[in-house]
Amino acid sequence: MNITMIGTGYVGLVSGACFSEMGSRVTCVDVDEQKIENLQKGILPIYEPGLEAMVCQNQADGLLVFSTSLAHAMKKSSLYFIAVGTPPGEDGSADLRYVLSVASEIGKNIESYAVIVDKSTVPVGTADKVRATVQKELDRRGVEVEFDVVSNPEFLKEGAALNDFMKPDRIIVGADTARARKEMKRLYAPFSRNRDKIIFMSVRDAEMTKYAANSMLATKISFMNEVANICERLGVDVENVRKGIGSDSRIGYSFIYPGCGYGGSCFPKDVKALIRTSMENGFEPQLLSAVESRNQLQKQRLFQKIVARFGNDLSGFSFAVWGLAFKPGTDDMREAPSVVLINDLVKAGAKVRAYDPVAMNEARREFPQEWFDDNRIVLVEQPYDTLDNADALVLVTEWKTFRQPDFNEMKERMAKRVIFDGRNQYDPEDVRESGFDYHGIGR
């Protein structure tokens, strides 16, 4: 099949690469000329394990091309995927300006029947707006062209996106016509050969399914973080509690790991957007509001623990930070707990030496340049180099490389033997037997 993928961010690039991997011819379109030029050279704008190799191979095979011309790409296909950003507005609502801008361009250029697919995460009712925007342009042109608008939300985990796309648990398709359902079933046939993974529903149902899924996972995280804070005050080890409740098949172990809060491009944005949508429709979502509030508070827990140990004025103190990305397997620092922590540390007078396996370039863009210029933040090339004369180590992201630290080398390098474990990666007893003061989450 011939596909036009509009947007070369995380969702668009992964989706385009995976469709081409299964033999479809895909043109990825973006208005950012520099990004397209880089992609044509094999330079990707994001880090995702295995993605670079897949993109380059399918480019070489002629199945994946990159362009800045939507009009030209549309002439070759009848499947148009909208995969542009929907950043949160100040009120938490999803900003649809890019989605509707693309819809307008499609309306200006569509010549024959096509399926327009909302791949971006969008609020319920967005497909109606896309349909109206396309039709408005067709009316201006004075032409009649049939088209369908479909909702096909993505369920990709950063760090495991290729596997999630190639071997999905389910494929949600919101389509209101038999013709659109037939096209989408044909498109996804290579991804559901073992069993039919496609779940057809109405467009609005599909739009809601995406928000409900992410909000449910965020709820589990915030619930466990709430439990962790209660455990701290009761002298209870939350890790034992986690194992106890996780063994219940009705609960399971997924997304019940206590920590320093969730981040990324999905959970924070989607929870806020669903809250906003609910409020606009006359319903106060008390549970979702609590999920969001707990997450914001949880991102402050590591700093609160540091202040409790060292005092409010951190002038003259140096902290080693392991992990900057919001989770392992990605360089994404959007809404990352590390950003909150480092901002608080620097503003309290501390200096920070930090390391992350892949997010160092993102970190340079995230913080003010003056903080790097005067060494308030120093990014180092090896994790143990963060420890030189450090008053404490703060683990923020649970990369595998941090799981078995050399406590002897740490003692030699650090000024004080203190560890703040924001992801409960270490056994408190082992850490204390090695001569360190240990501070975890809920333990």
Side-chain angles (χ1 to χ4, degrees):
M1 301 185 76
N2 292 317
I3 300 168
T4 298
M5 185 68 60
I6 307 158
T8 58
Y10 189 85
V11 174
L13 191 55
V14 170
S15 300
C18 290
F19 279 132
S20 67
E21 182 74 6
M22 286 298 194
S24 290
R25 294 184 180 277
V26 181
T27 300
C28 288
V29 180
D30 203 292
V31 295
D32 188 330
E33 294 182 2
Q34 185 62 58
K35 183 188 287 187
I36 292 298
E37 184 178 329
N38 286 339
L39 284 165
Q40 290 169 343
K41 296 175 182 177
I43 303 171
L44 275 60
I46 59 171
Y47 173 80
E48 178 64 33
L51 182 59
E52 182 177 345
M54 184 181 286
V55 167
C56 292
Q57 183 60 57
N58 284 291
Q59 266 190 292
D61 292 343
L63 293 171
L64 181 62
V65 298
F66 299 97
S67 173
T68 56
S69 174
L70 176 57
H72 179 71
M74 287 176 61
K75 293 177 181 179
K76 302 177 182 180
S77 71
S78 59
L79 276 168
Y80 310 141
F81 278 78
I82 301 177
V84 295
T86 54
E90 290 185 6
D91 61 358
S93 62
D95 186 343
L96 297 178
R97 77 179 81 172
Y98 304 117
V99 171
L100 297 181
S101 176
V102 170
S104 179
E105 286 301 308
I106 290 174
K108 293 174 182 176
N109 291 284
I110 189 172
E111 298 290 348
S112 59
Y113 175 78
V115 177
I116 301 168
V117 185
D118 281 337
K119 197 68 173 171
S120 303
T121 301
V122 292
V124 175
T126 298
D128 296 335
K129 295 179 181 179
V130 169
R131 186 180 295 108
T133 301
V134 174
Q135 189 60 53
K136 182 178 180 181
E137 293 299 336
L138 288 173
D139 293 343
R140 283 180 178 174
R141 292 166 58 194
V143 298
E144 292 185 10
V145 178
E146 286 189 68
F147 67 93
D148 282 305
V149 180
V150 167
S151 176
N152 175 218
E154 52 82 18
F155 296 94
L156 307 176
K157 299 186 296 290
E158 293 190 46
L162 298 190
N163 186 70
D164 287 346
F165 199 103
M166 302 297 284
K167 300 177 181 179
D169 296 322
R170 77 291 202 199
I171 300 166
I172 302 296
V173 176
D176 294 333
T177 71
R179 189 175 186 181
R181 287 192 290 272
K182 183 178 179 180
E183 286 293 302
M184 295 301 288
K185 188 168 186 177
R186 180 183 169 209
L187 173 66
Y188 277 108
F191 301 91
S192 56
R193 293 188 65 191
N194 292 336
R195 60 178 174 85
D196 190 358
K197 299 178 181 179
I198 302 177
I199 302 174
F200 285 110
M201 57 186 70
S202 77
V203 172
R204 294 173 74 88
D205 292 350
E207 290 171 333
M208 184 62 182
T209 297
K210 169 64 175 182
Y211 277 108
N214 278 354
S215 295
M216 181 67 213
L217 297 176
T219 298
K220 292 183 73 174
I221 295 171
S222 280
F223 171 80
M224 206 62 207
N225 283 334
E226 187 112 307
V227 169
N229 287 303
I230 297 171
C231 286
E232 269 189 32
R233 285 155 180 78
L234 297 176
V236 173
D237 189 337
V238 73
E239 286 300 308
N240 290 327
V241 175
R242 177 185 65 79
K243 294 173 185 176
I245 67 173
S247 61
D248 186 329
S249 61
R250 298 170 301 174
I251 299 172
Y253 291 103
S254 298
F255 291 89
I256 62 167
Y257 290 85
C260 49
Y262 60 76
S265 62
C266 294
F267 289 4
K269 175 173 67 71
D270 294 352
V271 170
K272 291 172 186 174
L274 188 53
I275 290 171
R276 183 63 184 179
T277 297
S278 301
M279 298 291 285
E280 289 174 347
N281 286 273
F283 179 76
E284 184 178 350
Q286 295 184 3
L287 177 58
L288 291 176
S289 296
V291 168
E292 164 63 12
S293 176
R294 165 45 52 206
N295 191 55
Q296 293 302 321
L297 292 170
Q298 200 67 20
K299 291 180 182 181
Q300 300 171 11
R301 286 299 293 142
L302 283 173
F303 182 71
Q304 290 168 352
K305 288 175 175 289
I306 290 169
V307 167
R309 175 66 171 76
F310 294 107
N312 291 310
D313 184 0
L314 298 178
S315 301
F317 288 92
S318 176
F319 294 92
V321 173
W322 280 2
L324 298 168
F326 85 93
K327 62 177 282 188
T330 180
D331 62 351
D332 194 344
M333 289 184 63
R334 285 173 288 185
E335 301 272 357
S338 66
V339 176
V340 176
L341 172 66
I342 291 174
N343 273 309
D344 286 343
L345 288 172
V346 172
K347 290 175 182 177
K351 291 190 175 182
V352 173
R353 293 171 63 84
Y355 170 80
D356 188 282
V358 300
M360 304 287 263
N361 289 333
E362 287 300 313
R364 291 184 178 92
R365 290 188 283 267
E366 186 65 43
F367 301 105
Q369 182 58 44
E370 63 190 69
W371 289 5
F372 296 102
D373 292 341
D374 59 15
N375 291 326
R376 279 180 277 182
I377 300 177
V378 176
L379 302 179
V380 300
E381 297 301 319
Q382 298 295 329
Y384 287 90
D385 290 343
T386 64
L387 303 173
D388 293 337
N389 297 313
D391 294 289
L393 165 65
V394 190
L395 176 73
V396 184
T397 313
E398 65 276 30
W399 287 93
K400 290 180 181 179
T401 191
F402 303 144
R403 290 186 182 177
Q404 291 286 352
D406 184 340
F407 290 120
N408 289 327
E409 181 173 351
M410 293 170 66
K411 285 190 286 188
E412 292 176 2
R413 288 183 175 237
M414 296 175 68
K416 294 185 178 66
R417 298 174 182 177
V418 184
I419 294 176
F420 294 93
D421 185 357
R423 299 296 179 182
N424 288 356
Q425 289 294 287
Y426 307 134
D427 185 317
E429 187 174 332
D430 288 346
V431 174
R432 289 171 181 138
E433 285 181 356
S434 298
F436 287 83
D437 184 8
Y438 177 85
H439 303 268
I441 302 293
R443 56 198 323 205

